Amino acid sequence: MQHYTYLNLANLYFKQGDFAKAVEYSSRSIRHTPNFVFPHLTMGEAYYRLKNSEKARAAFIQALKIDPSNKEAISWIDRIDKEMPKSPLKEKSAPKI
């Protein structure tokens, strides 16, 4: 049950705009129950608000490992992938038209 307490605190801090604390308490919830999908989603959104797209994406990937059909995680990953700049290696390897 402690994981719910940590998740509730994470959501409270998220709503207050304290995204670093939201990440901290999401992480605590995950440590207690790693296969509980909701703290991964909260963590991903908090990292996104902290402008850390790579960590946000990683959190949403973890959510998908737990629940492969999670529409929220899929939507966030699509959004992040569209916003993230292309790496120079990807651009070099892309076929020229």
Side-chain angles (χ1 to χ4, degrees):
M1 290 303 262
Q2 199 168 18
H3 63 284
Y4 279 114
T5 301
Y6 288 133
L7 178 60
N8 287 336
L9 286 168
N11 287 328
L12 176 68
Y13 283 118
F14 186 91
K15 288 177 184 174
Q16 292 177 344
D18 191 341
F19 304 117
K21 285 278 192 189
V23 167
E24 177 186 339
Y25 282 95
S26 293
S27 180
R28 289 182 186 196
S29 180
I30 290 166
R31 276 193 297 259
H32 282 276
T33 312
N35 291 326
F36 185 41
V37 74
F38 297 110
H40 294 280
L41 297 171
T42 300
M43 180 182 279
E45 289 189 53
Y47 273 130
Y48 182 83
R49 297 286 180 99
L50 290 168
K51 310 248 186 269
N52 191 332
S53 295
E54 289 180 18
K55 286 188 176 184
R57 190 176 192 284
F60 292 125
I61 292 291
Q62 280 301 122
L64 282 181
K65 287 180 181 178
I66 297 164
D67 178 8
S69 63
N70 189 290
K71 291 179 182 180
E72 186 175 349
I74 292 167
S75 176
W76 273 107
I77 291 168
D78 287 343
R79 178 178 180 174
I80 291 168
D81 285 350
K82 288 176 184 171
E83 292 175 359
M84 287 179 77
K86 304 259 189 272
S87 76
L89 293 177
K90 285 183 183 176
E91 289 176 8
K92 286 182 183 177
S93 64
K96 294 183 180 182
I97 300 174

